[in-house]
Structure formats: C-alpha cells, structure tokens
Amino acid sequence: MKGLNFLKRINSWVVYFILTSIVAGIIISSNFLIQHLRSKETERIKSLATAMRYLQDTDVDSRFSELALYVISENEDLPIIVTNKKREVLESRGISEEILKDKEKLKAKMTEMENKYPPFEIQLPDFNNQYLYYDNSDLMNYLRYYPLLLAIFISLYLVFSFWFLRLLKKTDEGFVWAGLAKETAHQIGTPLSSMIGWVEIMKLEDENGMGVKELEMDVNRLKTISERFSKIGSIPTLNDLDINETVQQNFDYLKSRISTKVEFTLRKTYEPVLVPHSQILMSWVIENLVKNAVDAMKGEGKLELSLYKKNKNVYIDVTDTGCGMTKQQIRNAFKPGFSTKKRGWGLGLSLTKRVVSEYHKGDVRIANSEVGKGTTFRIILKEEQKS
C-alpha cells in the first residue's frame, strides 16, 4: 500500500513536470515564431516595393518585369495603398470599396497605416516617386491577440499549478496522519490485550463488583478507540443507520466521564433518524468535539448536544459556553497541526473533518463562535433517501 501511494505521488510529479515543460516550450517557441513572422512581413513589404519600382521602369529587362509581377502576386494578402507625392491614390489592394469611395475614411486609413509603419518610397527614374502605405496581413492581425491568449493560458496554468501543489500537500498530510493513526492503534493494541485478560481474571473473583464493571467499560472503550485509529486511511463500511442511537450512546458515556461542573444536556428526536454511517468513527467525531468544548470551558459551563433534521439533512450541533474563537482561529481550526492548546498536536479537528467529509460525504464546520461567549460546531449529514 505504501509503495502504491509512493508511485502515485511520483506519477503526479511526472505529469506536473511534463505539463510545465510543454507550457515553457509553447511560450519560447511562440516568441520565436512571432519575431520571425514580423521580420518576414517587413521583408515582404520591401520586396513588394522593389518589385513595383522595377515594374514601372521601362529600361528593365522583361525577365525582371516577370519576376516583379510574380512577387506582387505572391503578396496579395498585404493591404497596400500606393500614392504619388500629393498623396493621391494610384493603386490599392486589400482595402474595402467603402473606404476607397469616402475621402475622409481613406485619409484616416492612410494616417492609421502611416502611424503603424512609415511608408516605403518607391524611387522612379523620372523622379516622380511614389509612396507605398501598408498594413499587417490578416495573419499578423490575428497574432496581435496571441499575447493576450498566451497570458490567459499562463494564468490558467498558474491556477492549476497552485491547485495541484495544494492537492499534493493535502495528500502528503493525509498519509502522515493516517500512518500516525494506524501506528497509534498498533501501540494501544498490545497493552489493551493484556488489560482484557486481567479484567477476565478479576471477574472470576468478583464478577458483579462495581470496580470490575467500570474497568470493563473503559477497556471496551479503549478497544473502540483502537478500532477508530485503525480505520483511518481505510474506506469504512457505512452499515449503521440510526444516528439517533449513536448520539444517545455517546451522550450517556460522555456524561458520566466529564466534569460534574459541566451541565451536559441532549436535545434530539425520539424517532429513528436513518443515516448510513460508521458508528465507531462517528462516535469518535462526537467525542472529539465534546472534549474540545469541555477544554474550551476549562471544565465548567453549559454544553449542549443537539440532533435535528432540516431539508433532508441531519444536523448534530455541539454548543459550549467556553472562551470562543477569533476569526483567524476559525479559519485555521481544521488545518492539520493547528491547535490553541499548549500541548495540542492539532490532529483532532483535522481528522474529524476527514472522517465526516471524505468517509461520510458530509461536512463539519463552525456554525457560530464569539470570543468570551462560546462556540457551536455543526456536523451535517445526508439523511437516507427512502425509495
């Protein structure tokens, strides 16, 4: 399993580096292409101007005239306007009839072309030189938008990179927490087996003793905790249905274990509330939230556990009258490693989030918190749909 996870991460990085190389290649080759096309466009204009000059020179060999005609025909996609010294149009190509018939539009077009590129002067033998105004070909006009498209593409890639790196980080964190949880379960298992044996020996001496019964309850609880940790990183079977029963069992157990200075109450429906869930893992979630609430109240205050239904969802609220949380603490509460306790590891809430969201397809959030007044943690689960 570890080898498979390692290979998945290696494959992810390979894909990332391949995509990065492709993007870098596109950017570099695109810049070379645009520069090359621009230089070629300028050369084509020079060739066209030279060809037009030779074509009007009566002393030029006929073979040069044929070559000039060929050069002109090969550059038909270039919009041009040829004028005399008085800026009177002698010839045009690639210019719409609407512009040519309107003097003001024609003048504006020539000014626009002149602002982009200085006109070429066609020197003729009779000194009646002509001027060649030109503009970009359709291809170059399309390439004007290329930098914008490239910028959008790069932006999307950067967003993807940010998402990808965050995903890798979350995956690595998940492997760390899952490994730590499984190792914890393994470490608990050895002394727990011994404790179970000693409980059985004690029952032979005094089966109905209060101490034996309480010890047996706590040993069974330790077994449950060990099972919880061992299930982290595995896909649990959601074969328990009545979430009402799970909440009630947790309330009964926790009420007898937390401080008597905490007024612990339960509000719930008394009819079955069917939610596919793992009782072992969901009990852990509830217990973790309750213990956090008790810590926030420093072992004294009011604590309420509520279960209710709304819009086909099932809600479990854990409300305390503790110290509350700041906005920054609320933002970071479920991040691995974050803890407000001096000796806290920051594991509880992050694993709680994972159990609820990944395994039960629900959500856990801080519904409300106010510094000095208390906090409400809310678990949201989907009620089983009756067919």
Side-chain angles (χ1 to χ4, degrees), residues 257-273:
R257 294 299 188 276
I258 62 178
S259 170
T260 55
K261 294 181 180 180
V262 175
E263 186 182 330
F264 193 14
T265 57
L266 172 64
R267 289 195 306 111
K268 68 181 183 67
T269 61
Y270 290 93
E271 59 188 33
V273 181

Side-chain angles (χ1 to χ4, degrees), residues 286-308:
I286 296 170
E287 181 179 331
N288 191 34
L289 295 180
V290 168
K291 287 184 175 179
N292 274 348
V294 173
D295 289 341
M297 296 187 295
K298 296 182 173 24
E300 185 175 357
K302 292 182 179 180
L303 176 59
E304 183 176 87
L305 185 60
S306 306
L307 170 65
Y308 57 96

Side-chain angles (χ1 to χ4, degrees), residues 11-25 157 160:
N11 289 336
S12 299
W13 278 109
V14 169
V15 171
Y16 177 71
F17 282 125
I18 290 173
L19 289 175
T20 303
S21 301
I22 291 173
V23 170
Y157 180 74
F160 165 78

Side-chain angles (χ1 to χ4, degrees), residues 49-320:
T50 304
M52 294 183 71
R53 181 173 67 82
Y54 278 127
L55 195 62
Q56 296 183 54
D57 190 346
T58 54
D59 296 332
V60 173
D61 190 284
S62 60
R63 289 175 296 179
F64 281 103
S65 297
E66 290 178 6
L67 179 60
L69 287 170
Y70 174 76
V71 171
I72 292 172
S73 65
E74 284 295 304
N75 291 280
E76 288 183 348
D77 60 325
L78 290 171
I80 63 169
I81 296 176
V82 181
T83 70
N84 55 22
K85 292 180 179 179
K86 298 180 180 179
R87 287 173 63 95
E88 295 173 340
V89 177
L90 303 175
E91 186 180 348
S92 67
R93 186 169 52 199
I95 308 296
S96 67
E97 288 293 326
E98 180 185 356
I99 293 176
L100 291 173
K101 290 179 179 178
D102 190 318
K103 289 185 178 181
E104 292 300 321
K105 289 183 179 180
L106 180 60
K107 184 179 179 181
K109 181 65 177 175
M110 290 172 62
T111 303
E112 178 188 339
M113 297 169 82
E114 188 175 8
N115 289 334
K116 287 183 180 179
Y117 304 104
F120 278 102
E121 184 176 4
I122 304 174
Q123 296 180 352
L124 301 177
D126 57 1
F127 300 105
N128 291 321
N129 295 347
Q130 298 175 351
Y131 296 89
L132 175 64
Y133 295 81
Y134 64 97
D135 204 346
N136 292 323
S137 63
D138 289 339
L139 175 61
M140 288 302 296
N141 284 328
Y142 293 144
L143 286 175
R144 284 187 307 172
Y145 303 103
Y146 186 80
L148 176 62
L149 294 174
L150 192 60
I152 293 173
F153 178 75
I154 293 171
S155 299
L156 291 174
Y157 180 74
L158 290 174
V159 171
F160 165 78
S161 298
F162 178 73
W163 169 83
F164 180 81
L165 292 173
R166 281 196 64 187
L167 181 64
L168 278 181
K169 183 181 177 183
K170 284 186 67 177
T171 303
D172 288 340
E173 287 173 351
F175 289 138
V176 170
W177 303 134
L180 180 60
K182 288 182 179 294
E183 180 62 23
T184 302
H186 177 71
Q187 294 294 332
I188 291 175
T190 303
L192 182 59
S193 299
S194 178
M195 289 174 68
I196 293 172
W198 281 110
V199 168
E200 293 301 319
I201 293 173
M202 292 172 67
K203 285 171 69 176
L204 292 175
E205 297 179 0
D206 185 6
E207 185 176 0
N208 297 318
M210 182 62 69
V212 174
K213 288 183 178 179
E214 288 296 324
L215 183 58
E216 186 176 19
M217 285 178 62
D218 285 335
V219 167
N220 289 333
R221 193 66 179 180
L222 279 172
K223 284 178 64 178
T224 302
I225 292 170
S226 179
E227 288 179 18
R228 291 173 184 171
F229 278 100
S230 66
K231 288 180 182 293
I232 295 297
S234 308
I235 299 175
T237 303
L238 308 181
N239 51 8
D240 299 303
L241 289 178
D242 190 0
I243 193 73
N244 218 342
E245 182 181 337
T246 301
V247 171
Q248 183 68 60
Q249 287 179 3
N250 274 267
F251 174 77
D252 293 339
Y253 176 80
L254 293 170
K255 188 174 182 181
S256 64
R257 294 299 188 276
I258 62 178
S259 170
T260 55
K261 294 181 180 180
V262 175
E263 186 182 330
F264 193 14
T265 57
L266 172 64
R267 289 195 306 111
K268 68 181 183 67
T269 61
Y270 290 93
E271 59 188 33
V273 181
L274 303 182
V275 175
H277 67 285
S278 166
Q279 191 176 69
I280 291 175
L281 291 179
M282 194 53 65
S283 295
W284 183 18
V285 168
I286 296 170
E287 181 179 331
N288 191 34
L289 295 180
V290 168
K291 287 184 175 179
N292 274 348
V294 173
D295 289 341
M297 296 187 295
K298 296 182 173 24
E300 185 175 357
K302 292 182 179 180
L303 176 59
E304 183 176 87
L305 185 60
S306 306
L307 170 65
Y308 57 96
K309 296 190 295 182
K310 185 179 179 181
N311 298 330
K312 298 181 180 180
N313 286 331
V314 176
Y315 297 85
I316 303 172
D317 285 356
V318 179
T319 304
D320 64 65

